[in-house]
């Protein structure tokens, strides 16, 4: 087993990895930027090293600094978390070259799946259904119009290197293509340093359903069921649950089979997620594979009882998966809410601030993953995720009730958060019925904001 693991991340996921290390008898080593000197992930370890200024490009994305620390501190492995360097194939290669295990798939696998246009092609060859769209990249707006004409509008222009919902534009008619192509490419260039674009048919009223995969070096590939992630704002997830109300046993079998086939075709190793959109006629289509631990992984942990970060570590050290497919049992229902430091009443603008009084929910079936403590600083430098509240209960309705009372217990003094909005979602009839798609939040936003009392000051004005 590894003796020492460096966590190349921050926030709740760094805390998550530190906790897994401790329970496995592995010494956790942390890194931090100048903005994170007081962060929880730093305070939880005996050894932490500053790797640069607040700007991520100079710290959490600084490969040289991170590898220098890993070697100087005698770490055998690096856990990249999500975001930052987690899907950077050059970093995975650099780790391998430096003799430090990268807790993730080999660089070459990340490279292939990280180019979403290339991943589509690979999936098509493997017999996994993909959204009708371009055969690889589209170089310019003219070519995009030709493909769009063939598959029919509306279409979605997507950045091949995209992530976090960025670099995507819906195009409804050819006359919009020129402007939107430039816009999407510009965003892709500034976010990912890569302007390669591809095109997919826009699936109307889709659900986002993804399958958790585990694959080891011995060639075992298993799935841990699905997560329903259709509650999204601007293509970013806000609330996730498992199992999905949308899947019949037959459809679940077909989607998990496809996900396992996808992972096999990619030569996958480690934990990974195969994302699909599901249309109203129960057709499902591959959209991308995330080659890392996912933000919403606790939902799967609660319904399977498996620790995904520990499985990642086991796989990276060369051990086989701790369970076979037949030994995976699904129990009950889990829901995760992403509590973000942002103001829904003001176009979700970030609300970084110092946390004053803090009360986190607890009790039977409640898990909180966060980097929060009273007096901690939520900095404007990174994403606005403040805490993940995850609940488990025998049935979906009980899980909904447990999540409502958990959010009622939550008090975070200081930043404005989306807690009330999340709470209102749990009272929305469409949500309770489970009949929702990725358009849910946009459709219901005004009603939900009115219910939650956000924007009161505007009404009074
Ligand atoms: P998940 O399904 O795990 O939520 P996301 O795609 O939303 O996956 O990404 C998780 C985190 O990683 C978010 O904080 C997001 O901002 C960040 N992220 C995703 N892709 C990239 C990327 N290419 N570069 C930098 N950060 C990214
Ligand atoms: P990212 O890498 O940014 O996570 P994805 O390809 O996973 O990008 O897409 C993000 C979200 O955008 C999906 O969860 C879904 O809501 C929406 N989406 C993506 N592709 C399509 C499509 N072809 N039709 C409709 N919605 C889509
Ligand atoms: Mg995605």
């Amino acid at each position: 087993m590894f003796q020492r693991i460096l966590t190349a991340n921050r926030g709740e996921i760094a805390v998550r990895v530190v906790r897994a290390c401790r329970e496995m008898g592995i010494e956790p080593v942390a890194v931090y930027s100048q903005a994170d000197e007081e962060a929880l992930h730093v305070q939880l370890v005996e050894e932490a090293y500053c790797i640069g200024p607040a700007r991520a490009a100079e710290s959490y994305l600084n490969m040289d600094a991170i590898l220098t620390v890993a070697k100087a501190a005698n770490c055998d492995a690096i856990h990249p978390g999500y975001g930052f360097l987690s899907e950077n194939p050059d970093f995975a290669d650099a780790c391998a070259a430096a003799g430090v295990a990268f807790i993730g798939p080999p660089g070459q696998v990340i490279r292939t799946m990280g180019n979403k246009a290339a991943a589509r092609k690979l999936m098509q060859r493997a017999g996994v259904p993909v959204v009708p769209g371009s055969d690889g990249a589209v170089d310019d707006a003219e070519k995009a119009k030709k493909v769009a004409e063939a598959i029919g509008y509306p279409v979605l222009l997507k950045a091949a290197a995209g992530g976090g919902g960025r670099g995507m534009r819906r195009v409804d008619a050819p006359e919009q293509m020129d402007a939107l192509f430039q816009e999407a490419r510009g965003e892709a260039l500034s976010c990912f340093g890569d302007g390669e674009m591809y095109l997919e048919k826009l699936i109307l009223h889709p659900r986002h359903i993804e399958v958790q995969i585990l694959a080891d070096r011995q060639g075992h590939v298993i799935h841990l069921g699905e997560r329903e992630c259709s509650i999204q704002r601007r293509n970013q997830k806000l609330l996730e649950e498992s199992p999905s109300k949308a899947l019949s046993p037959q459809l679940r079998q077909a989607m998990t089979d496809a996900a396992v086939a996808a992972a096999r075709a990619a030569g996958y190793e480690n934990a990974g997620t195969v994302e699909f959109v599901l249309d109203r006629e129960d057709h499902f289509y591959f959209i991308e594979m995330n080659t890392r631990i996912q933000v919403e992984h606790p939902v799967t942990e609660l319904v399977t009882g498996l620790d995904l970060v520990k499985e990642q570590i086991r796989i990276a050290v060369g051990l086989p998966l701790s369970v076979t497919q037949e030994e995976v049992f699904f129990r009950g229902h889990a829901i995760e809410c992403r509590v973000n430091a942002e103001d829904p009443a003001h176009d979700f603008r970030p609300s970084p601030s110092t946390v004053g009084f803090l009360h986190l929910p607890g009790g039977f079936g409640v898990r909180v993953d966060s980097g929060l403590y009273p007096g901690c600083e939520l900095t404007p430098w990174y994403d606005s995720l403040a805490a993940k509240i995850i609940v488990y209960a025998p049935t979906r309705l009980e899980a909904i009730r447990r999540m409502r009372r958990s959010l009622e217990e939550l008090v975070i003094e200081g930043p404005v958060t989306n807690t009330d909005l999340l709470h209102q979602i749990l009272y929305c009839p469409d949500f309770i019925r489970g009949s929702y798609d990725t358009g849910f939040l946009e459709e219901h936003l005004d009603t939900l904001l009115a219910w939650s009392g956000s924007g009161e000051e505007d009404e009074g004005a």
Side-chain angles (χ1 to χ4, degrees):
M1 189 37 77
F2 298 129
Q3 306 278 305
R4 291 158 73 76
I5 293 180
L6 183 143
T7 307
N9 214 299
R10 63 177 305 283
E12 68 85 19
I13 193 64
V15 171
R16 171 74 185 85
V17 173
V18 166
R19 287 175 171 157
C21 289
R22 287 244 189 268
E23 290 177 15
M24 294 176 89
I26 299 166
E27 286 173 44
V29 174
V31 293
Y32 60 95
S33 73
Q34 281 165 10
D36 276 340
E37 253 168 85
E38 311 279 320
L40 186 60
H41 77 279
V42 177
Q43 303 203 31
L44 286 179
V45 299
E46 281 75 48
E47 256 183 80
Y49 299 89
C50 184
I51 44 166
R55 236 164 59 84
E58 296 172 62
S59 49
Y60 297 108
L61 291 170
N62 185 339
M63 297 191 220
D64 288 341
I66 291 169
L67 273 170
T68 301
V69 170
K71 283 183 281 185
N74 276 318
C75 297
D76 333 85
I78 296 184
H79 195 299
Y82 53 71
F84 297 126
L85 295 171
S86 62
E87 292 179 281
N88 185 318
D90 297 336
F91 184 62
D93 288 344
C95 289
V100 182
F102 175 80
I103 302 177
Q108 202 43 49
V109 175
I110 304 178
R111 201 165 276 119
T112 307
M113 300 315 275
N115 182 308
K116 291 159 81 178
R120 274 170 60 83
K121 283 194 178 178
L122 181 68
M123 291 304 121
Q124 273 175 301
R125 283 201 298 275
V128 176
V130 302
V131 188
S134 59
D135 185 22
V138 284
D139 301 333
D140 54 47
E142 286 314 310
K143 297 217 174 77
K145 279 184 225 170
K146 286 215 177 74
V147 181
E149 225 109 282
I151 59 173
Y153 287 91
V155 295
L156 199 58
L157 266 172
K158 299 173 81 168
R166 283 160 302 173
M168 291 185 0
R169 290 294 181 279
R170 172 189 174 138
V171 187
D172 287 287
E175 52 277 15
Q176 300 175 337
M177 187 65 86
D178 291 307
L180 290 171
F181 193 94
Q182 291 323 316
E183 220 181 278
R185 167 165 281 176
E187 191 172 304
L189 277 168
S190 72
C191 291
F192 317 114
D194 180 346
E196 186 178 325
M197 302 301 297
Y198 69 107
L199 210 134
E200 282 178 358
K201 188 167 179 62
L202 185 85
I203 304 297
L204 297 173
H205 310 291
R207 286 185 179 244
H208 172 117
I209 291 172
E210 58 187 33
V211 177
Q212 177 69 51
I213 290 292
L214 287 178
D216 65 19
R217 261 183 231 159
Q218 288 71 23
H220 306 110
V221 182
I222 65 171
H223 73 83
L224 301 182
E226 81 279 6
R227 291 184 290 258
E228 160 75 69
C229 311
S230 300
I231 306 291
Q232 303 184 346
R233 180 177 167 268
R234 303 212 170 140
N235 304 312
Q236 283 186 322
K237 300 159 188 164
L238 198 58
L239 180 156
E240 303 95 346
E241 59 178 319
S242 184
S244 167
K245 279 275 259 182
L247 302 194
S248 64
Q250 293 79 0
L251 187 51
R252 175 170 299 117
Q253 188 67 50
M255 290 183 77
T256 53
D257 284 351
V260 168
R264 282 198 189 283
Y268 202 72
E269 195 181 289
N270 218 270
T273 300
V274 183
E275 296 191 334
F276 298 99
V277 284
L278 176 70
D279 73 12
R280 284 187 162 175
E281 281 76 48
D282 281 354
H283 301 119
F284 63 89
Y285 308 94
F286 168 90
I287 50 171
E288 67 159 341
M289 180 163 193
N290 289 327
T291 56
R292 54 168 162 86
I293 194 80
Q294 201 110 351
V295 175
E296 57 275 22
H297 76 276
V299 162
T300 299
E301 295 185 323
L302 293 187
V303 294
T304 62
L306 290 165
D307 185 317
L308 293 184
V309 175
K310 287 185 187 166
E311 292 296 329
Q312 286 191 292
I313 294 171
R314 287 175 54 94
I315 295 166
V317 92
L319 289 168
L321 301 180
S322 68
V323 288
T324 62
Q325 188 69 68
E326 291 68 38
E327 290 165 342
V328 178
F329 295 103
F330 300 95
R331 285 184 55 213
H333 199 93
I335 305 177
E336 172 182 273
C337 281
R338 299 193 191 191
V339 176
N340 295 328
E342 62 189 17
D343 185 357
H346 293 95
D347 199 29
F348 294 84
R349 73 178 171 212
S351 175
S353 129
T354 303
V355 172
F357 180 80
L358 176 72
H359 180 77
L360 297 175
F364 195 4
V366 180
R367 166 173 168 181
V368 179
D369 278 21
S370 92
L372 295 179
Y373 60 87
C376 75
E377 187 83 42
L378 293 176
T379 92
W381 292 97
Y382 315 107
D383 68 26
S384 60
L385 183 65
K388 305 191 303 203
I389 314 292
I390 315 104
V391 301
Y392 168 81
T395 64
R396 184 170 185 267
L397 191 56
E398 287 166 283
I400 291 175
R401 292 194 153 144
R402 184 158 280 165
M403 182 61 89
R404 288 176 185 163
R405 76 96 177 141
S406 298
L407 294 176
E408 284 155 18
E409 287 178 25
L410 177 67
V411 182
I412 307 177
E413 199 185 84
V416 181
T417 70
N418 62 345
T419 306
D420 286 349
L421 175 64
L422 291 164
H423 189 240
Q424 290 308 330
I425 292 173
L426 300 163
Y427 283 92
C428 189
D430 284 346
F431 179 78
I432 296 166
R433 272 194 297 274
S435 58
Y436 61 83
D437 57 48
T438 60
F440 171 90
L441 199 69
E442 182 113 24
E443 268 161 51
H444 293 82
L445 191 58
D446 289 341
T447 318
L448 293 168
L449 288 180
W451 284 351
S452 68
S454 301
E456 264 170 13
E457 44 187 321
D458 290 345
E459 279 158 30

